Amino acid sequence: MLAEMMKYKELLYFLVHKEVRIRYRNSLFGFFWTLLEPLGLMVIYTIVFGYILNVTEGRGEGIQHYSLFILSGLIPWTFFNNSMKKGTKSLSSNASLIKKVYFPREIFPVTMLLSNLVNFVPAFLLVFVVALSLGHPIDWGQLAMLPAFVLLQSVFTLACVFFVSVLNIYYRDVEFIINLVLRGWMYLSPIIYPVSFLSQNESDLVQQFADFYFLNPMAVMISLYHGIFYENQMVSPGFIIYTIVLSLVLLFSSWAIFKRLNRRVGEVI
Amino acid sequence: MEAIVVKNLTKHFRKAYDKTLKGFFISLAKKEKRYKEFTALDDVSFSVQQGESYAIIGKNGAGKSTLFKVLSGIIAPDTGSIQINGKVAPLIELGAGLSRDLTGSENIRLNCAIFGLNKGRIKEVYDDIVAFSELEEFIHTPVKFYSSGMKARLGFSIAIHIDADIILIDEVLAVGDKDFKKKCYAKMEELRDAGKTLVVVSHSLKPLRKICDRALILDQGRVADVGEIGAMLDQYENEKKPKKKKQKGA
């Protein structure tokens, strides 16, 4: 696959460039929306969960600076969320091109991932700036691992996008399902609450659920990002290995599915 | 040497009656087939020699477009094999979907990139493409504002400049104006003389006589006949005559 992608790197570059450029076209703030959007969400979540619901009260040890906690999880989540939403439609919205000329259709999901990655990197700098301005300590050793975290997340995201993009050609229901799934998925990941809330919860149901919590790869990955700023958010190495293996297995299997279903894309689309 | 060898190509399409879940259960209860099969191409075999100009003619619904799509790789055949020696460039219609909002010049870059040209090569051919399409004035205008003739001109210019060995031409040429058509036909002859393989799918028969060497008549997905261009066109026109008279009368 990589060899084929290299052959089309000019096309890939063109499509990613175009995607990034037109996303914020006709908007006053342009590229700044990459930063304004997560900042706005941070403010909303901090007000709603930090003040109105007051989730940190009494058990907030370890998550000082709740707004930073939210932001550091929200930004990787936004990368996943947007890649999935745009990626689902990446084939169906390019129907006219796909019907006219043949070239590797993997390009479209990959384009969506890369263009979101371009937005994600500067947004993560924002977390860094917020942490520094709040005077929050940063774990430099963990920060050095950031590229690896991003790579892992990209592999996992690409695997999911391959699968949903081609499935969406056959059944447009996927678009609607994905929106719903993503909403639920976000609340099942440690974004507005730290994982420690689960073990502190007295309900038996939640206690049982806590054991399976890290089977959700996004929970593992977001905890890895949290680990840069919060020591007590570390995940056990077993779950990290699980996530790496799962992402790779998913990538290969969803790519195989993509190739298989791709055969009839030209006529169904 | 052969440029294209097609053997026993068959393509069925499924016409689903009702794709919703409700439709699924209804047809399950009625125990009927959920789709109707439609044979677009039925055991089609032919070969095109390198440097040859080949015409594919046939009525509407004969399977010309399906064959065109199979040749360009957009649709995979059910059975049969296609062997293509060389790089194929289908002459594509521009201005739909993704490329609509892009300018003419961006479309040139996009399409060249789709056909695997690298940056340096794109720069080299860019000026030729613009010059041939005669769109210098509008090259930085989004394609959605182009007339259909302008789109056809740009599409044709791109297709002939991307170093392809085999050029597939669908009926898009029908929209260009007289002068541009003339220029295109001249260019097609030039390409043929330069040793490129041309496959033309067309309705307008007149110019084919000059350009093409051989022709294939498709009828309801089957190969009705293959032969020298003049004989094929005569045969095809004789079949169509009753229809043509009507048109003239109206």
Side-chain angles (χ1 to χ4, degrees):
Chain A
M1 180 173 86
L2 268 177
E4 205 170 31
M5 282 289 149
M6 282 310 287
K7 230 175 86 189
Y8 286 91
K9 65 174 194 291
E10 194 59 40
L11 177 62
L12 199 58
Y13 174 78
F14 183 92
L15 289 174
V16 171
H17 186 82
K18 188 208 103 206
E19 192 60 41
V20 172
R21 214 174 33 121
I22 66 167
R23 176 165 301 169
Y24 299 114
R25 199 175 43 186
N26 295 337
S27 66
L28 205 57
F29 290 105
F31 199 72
F32 280 105
W33 274 114
T34 327
L35 309 178
L36 288 176
E37 199 191 345
L39 267 181
L41 284 174
M42 180 190 82
V43 171
I44 294 168
Y45 286 133
T46 309
I47 292 173
V48 174
F49 295 105
Y51 291 100
I52 298 178
L53 291 175
N54 205 1
V55 291
T56 54
E57 194 195 36
R59 40 184 184 177
E61 80 267 18
I63 54 159
Q64 30 153 201
H65 300 132
Y66 183 63
S67 52
L68 176 69
F69 179 82
I70 293 238
L71 194 65
S72 60
L74 196 60
I75 282 181
W77 174 260
T78 311
F79 169 45
F80 179 69
N81 188 56
N82 289 354
S83 304
M84 285 294 276
K85 276 191 181 162
K86 288 255 178 182
T88 311
K89 294 183 203 158
S90 62
L91 287 177
S92 46
S93 63
N94 285 310
S96 54
L97 200 60
I98 288 171
K99 267 193 278 192
K100 296 271 158 49
V101 50
Y102 181 79
F103 53 95
R105 290 162 186 152
E106 289 91 334
I107 293 245
F108 293 114
V110 174
T111 300
M112 279 307 156
L113 182 88
L114 289 180
S115 62
N116 277 299
L117 195 61
V118 171
N119 286 326
F120 171 53
V121 174
F124 206 85
L125 285 177
L126 183 73
V127 190
F128 199 65
V129 171
V130 170
L132 284 178
S133 62
L134 288 174
H136 193 90
I138 296 167
D139 186 335
W140 298 97
Q142 288 294 316
L143 187 66
M145 291 294 289
L146 186 62
F149 298 164
V150 176
L151 182 69
L152 177 62
Q153 198 192 347
S154 301
V155 169
F156 178 73
T157 309
L158 187 61
C160 294
V161 172
F162 266 147
F163 184 64
V164 292
S165 64
V166 73
L167 212 58
N168 192 42
I169 297 295
Y170 292 86
Y171 300 98
R172 295 294 157 97
D173 312 56
V174 175
E175 263 173 57
F176 305 102
I177 296 170
I178 282 297
N179 278 340
L180 199 62
V181 167
L182 282 172
R183 188 62 61 87
W185 203 337
M186 179 182 151
Y187 288 108
L188 286 179
S189 306
I191 294 166
I192 46 178
Y193 56 87
V195 188
S196 58
F197 276 25
L198 288 172
S199 48
Q200 287 163 15
N201 197 302
E202 272 142 36
S203 142
D204 281 346
L205 196 71
V206 176
Q207 285 291 341
Q208 278 169 355
F209 170 69
D211 298 337
F212 302 103
Y213 192 75
F214 281 119
L215 288 181
N216 167 13
M218 284 311 288
V220 176
M221 282 185 270
I222 286 177
S223 298
L224 286 175
Y225 288 108
H226 280 153
I228 297 173
F229 306 99
Y230 296 92
E231 280 171 39
N232 57 345
Q233 297 297 325
M234 299 298 276
V235 211
S236 72
F239 280 117
I240 297 175
I241 293 166
Y242 154 80
T243 307
I244 293 171
V245 172
L246 181 76
S247 300
L248 288 174
V249 169
L250 271 182
L251 183 64
F252 286 113
S253 50
S254 71
W255 188 50
I257 293 170
F258 187 92
K259 284 201 114 172
R260 171 115 192 84
L261 293 180
N262 186 21
R263 278 175 63 83
R264 279 187 58 220
V265 161
E267 51 191 280
V268 180
I269 200 164
Chain B
M1 203 181 118
E2 278 108 358
I4 303 172
V5 185
V6 173
K7 273 187 197 145
N8 309 99
L9 194 73
T10 301
K11 180 73 204 172
H12 301 285
F13 284 124
R14 284 174 182 182
K15 284 198 291 190
Y17 293 126
D18 191 352
K19 217 182 147 188
T20 59
L21 208 59
K22 192 182 94 190
F24 173 77
F25 283 119
I26 289 172
S27 53
L28 205 68
K30 284 183 180 168
K31 285 186 180 157
E32 63 181 8
K33 254 185 143 179
R34 269 184 294 118
Y35 49 83
K36 204 165 106 186
E37 214 143 75
F38 168 78
T39 310
L41 292 174
D42 190 1
D43 200 24
V44 172
S45 304
F46 66 95
S47 67
V48 181
Q49 300 294 319
Q50 209 149 47
E52 187 180 32
S53 298
Y54 202 85
I56 295 168
I57 46 185
K59 295 189 196 106
N60 280 334
K64 296 190 304 289
S65 295
T66 308
L67 185 57
F68 186 83
K69 282 184 174 172
V70 173
L71 285 178
S72 50
I74 298 162
I75 292 179
D78 291 343
T79 56
S81 68
I82 307 164
Q83 195 196 329
I84 289 177
N85 304 314
K87 189 168 143 188
V88 181
L91 197 171
I92 58 167
E93 186 193 323
L94 296 172
L98 171 116
S99 37
R100 266 180 64 84
D101 285 325
L102 300 178
T103 66
S105 109
E106 284 170 320
N107 255 292
I108 294 176
R109 286 208 186 91
L110 171 67
N111 282 289
C112 287
I114 285 175
F115 291 108
L117 268 65
N118 62 26
K119 215 174 191 168
R121 186 70 193 138
I122 293 174
K123 252 187 196 151
E124 276 171 49
V125 293
Y126 178 83
D127 288 332
D128 292 341
I129 293 175
V130 178
F132 189 87
S133 66
E134 300 168 14
L135 286 169
E136 290 90 345
E137 218 178 308
F138 303 102
I139 206 70
H140 295 297
T141 309
V143 167
K144 60 182 169 188
F145 299 122
Y146 279 27
S147 70
S148 45
M150 287 157 81
K151 279 184 233 166
R153 264 146 64 185
L154 191 59
F156 186 82
S157 308
I158 293 171
I160 59 171
H161 283 102
I162 47 179
D163 312 321
D165 310 303
I166 303 160
I167 301 170
L168 305 176
I169 301 166
D170 205 350
E171 308 180 76
V172 260
L173 273 188
V175 284
D177 66 11
K178 226 178 177 181
D179 290 342
F180 190 73
K181 261 190 213 169
K182 238 187 210 163
K183 198 171 159 185
C184 289
Y185 291 130
K187 186 78 190 177
M188 277 153 78
E189 280 179 67
E190 194 189 312
L191 287 169
R192 186 195 56 191
D193 296 340
K196 307 254 181 188
T197 311
L198 299 177
V199 177
V200 190
V201 178
S202 185
H203 264 324
S204 47
L205 302 175
K206 247 191 197 163
L208 292 181
R209 220 176 272 268
K210 252 178 89 185
I211 296 160
C212 296
D213 309 313
R214 283 201 301 157
L216 176 153
I217 302 179
L218 265 185
D219 186 29
Q220 293 178 346
R222 291 164 185 275
V223 180
D225 215 342
V226 183
E228 189 267 325
I229 184 80
M232 286 300 110
L233 288 180
D234 291 341
Q235 186 187 331
Y236 182 70
E237 259 169 358
N238 283 337
E239 273 174 39
K240 268 183 92 177
K241 235 170 200 165
K243 259 191 187 170
K244 274 212 162 163
K245 265 184 187 165
K246 246 186 206 170
Q247 277 176 354
K248 265 181 192 168

